[in-house]
Amino acid sequence: MRKFLLASVICIVALSISGIFYPHHASAATPAYRLYVDQVQLDAKSVPVMQNGTMMVPLKTAFTALGYTTSIQSNVWSMKNNEGNYIVLTLTSKTAKVNGSKKALSTAPQKINGTAFISLKSLGQITGKVFGIDTIRYAVWLGEKPILNSFEHLWGIAPEQLKAVKDDHMFVDQSSNNSITIMQYMDTINDNPSTTYFIFYNDSLVRMIADVDVSQYNAADPYNVATMLGFYVGVKNEFSRNLGKFTKDQSFKEPQGNKQLTSLVYSMQYQSFQYQTEWKDGRTAAALQLLCDGASYSMRVTMTDTSADSTVLGVLDETL
């Protein structure tokens, strides 16, 4: 029973982690794949699905986004665009016609739950466009790879722009010193107060820091230890979904099963440590830190625009 309760603590905490910098929540369910065509995310009821190891995308949705009009006669789909390109597909057939010429497909188009799908690879073969899949961030694209992390669009915004997008958080203070401005917000994560600092250089956002108040957790209590493990795993998974696989991980190996979990929890009691996981995607760098002095904990997340002035970032490293 004790092992089960410890596992439940981790599960509940990890699944209820809220977004620190953006409105996103962890979910127990597998996220749906997002479909992008030429860097534009498509808003459709039919989403890509992985079937027997093959990524399938909704046929009509994809071709409409590519500028084709579609006509359907029985199981034959005919598509044409304003440039005079003409494509004919037959459901369950691995042979397509592209501008009158036969084209072999890797996988035949088919219906899934009543909707016609075509494999992403076949779609690339027909259109000549590059394609890709990100199984960590659940994204599928045709054409130029899209920007998949939501932080890239925040860098460089001005303080007033940030106020407009952070209206769901409690504004605390704003201070300026020469070219550096710091805005402070308060939020709550799992009933724990958190303070987030947005740092601007010449009115352009260059860094974000979130300090989560976890000082009330006792490093001697196994349930508190399990809670902190859940915090770390939950935030780590959220950032991996947004920024891709971490580039550096100096933390614990995630336990597999209740036996490993219980062993890890009890081995961490009264222990001093510093865990850190880092990510780098585009111009965004992130670091997650969990520190323990053997009695209590502290937790911080730092996000940085790596394209910002290196001298300024060096000053911030020394002051915040």
Side-chain angles (χ1 to χ4, degrees):
M1 175 63 70
R2 192 172 182 84
K3 292 180 180 179
F4 174 76
L5 288 174
L6 284 174
S8 298
V9 169
I10 279 198
C11 182
I12 292 171
V13 172
L15 295 179
S16 59
I17 289 288
S18 63
I20 294 177
F21 297 124
Y22 59 99
H24 185 74
H25 296 267
S27 172
T30 301
Y33 276 91
R34 296 165 289 160
L35 176 59
Y36 295 81
V37 172
D38 292 328
Q39 294 193 311
V40 177
Q41 183 177 351
L42 305 188
D43 182 16
K45 293 181 179 180
S46 299
V47 297
V49 295
M50 187 73 77
Q51 180 166 285
N52 299 323
T54 298
M55 180 58 68
M56 307 292 290
V57 298
L59 193 154
K60 186 174 182 179
T61 298
F63 275 102
T64 298
L66 289 167
Y68 286 81
T69 57
T70 304
S71 62
I72 307 169
Q73 187 173 8
S74 187
N75 287 329
V76 179
W77 290 60
S78 301
M79 282 76 62
K80 61 180 179 180
N81 63 12
N82 292 333
E83 298 174 359
N85 294 312
Y86 192 77
I87 298 170
V88 178
L89 297 169
T90 302
L91 296 184
T92 72
S93 173
K94 287 189 176 182
T95 301
K97 282 189 177 181
V98 180
N99 297 328
S101 299
K102 290 185 178 180
K103 182 78 173 182
L105 304 178
S106 59
T107 304
Q110 58 185 284
K111 281 193 174 182
I112 302 175
N113 296 326
T115 299
F117 280 76
I118 184 172
S119 74
L120 183 64
K121 184 176 181 179
S122 294
L123 190 57
Q125 291 172 330
I126 292 171
T127 62
K129 285 182 172 288
V130 296
F131 57 89
I133 305 171
D134 189 321
T135 56
I136 295 177
R137 288 177 279 195
Y138 292 92
V140 175
W141 64 89
L142 188 72
E144 190 173 350
K145 183 179 179 180
I147 296 173
L148 297 177
N149 88 63
S150 56
F151 303 108
E152 294 286 288
H153 303 291
L154 286 177
W155 301 126
I157 68 172
E160 292 305 313
Q161 291 175 294
L162 180 73
K163 287 181 180 179
V165 299
K166 298 302 291 182
D167 57 1
D168 59 331
H169 293 66
M170 183 188 299
F171 175 74
V172 176
D173 189 26
Q174 179 173 329
S175 60
S176 297
N177 183 10
N178 296 323
S179 299
I180 296 178
T181 298
I182 301 177
M183 295 175 63
Q184 182 179 348
Y185 282 82
M186 294 295 293
D187 196 6
T188 301
I189 299 177
N190 277 28
D191 297 324
N192 297 286
S194 67
T195 303
T196 305
Y197 302 93
F198 296 88
I199 306 164
F200 302 79
Y201 175 65
N202 286 338
D203 286 337
S204 294
L205 183 64
V206 296
R207 177 164 288 177
M208 301 179 283
I209 298 174
D211 288 323
V212 184
D213 184 2
V214 292
S215 59
Q216 72 273 25
Y217 292 104
N218 186 343
D221 187 329
Y223 292 96
N224 285 178
V225 174
T227 298
M228 293 314 304
L229 285 176
F231 259 113
Y232 201 89
V233 170
V235 177
K236 181 178 174 180
N237 289 342
E238 284 294 283
F239 276 92
S240 290
R241 286 173 185 165
N242 203 292
L243 298 173
K245 184 174 176 57
F246 46 77
T247 55
K248 185 177 181 180
D249 187 25
Q250 295 178 319
S251 65
F252 54 89
K253 182 179 180 181
E254 292 188 26
Q256 303 297 315
N258 289 343
K259 185 176 181 180
Q260 288 186 18
L261 170 61
T262 303
S263 176
L264 176 62
V265 167
Y266 286 109
S267 71
M268 289 175 60
Q269 284 182 277
Y270 307 102
Q271 297 300 310
S272 299
F273 59 80
Q274 178 175 333
Y275 293 148
Q276 181 159 317
T277 306
E278 300 175 9
W279 294 262
K280 175 69 170 67
D281 184 58
R283 60 197 280 194
T284 302
L288 167 64
Q289 293 178 317
L290 177 62
L291 286 75
C292 183
D293 61 6
S296 60
Y297 299 92
S298 62
M299 188 173 191
R300 167 173 283 194
V301 178
T302 304
M303 308 286 296
T304 300
D305 177 5
T306 58
S307 69
D309 186 284
S310 58
T311 301
V312 174
L313 295 180
V315 171
L316 296 180
D317 288 338
E318 297 177 359
T319 57
L320 290 171

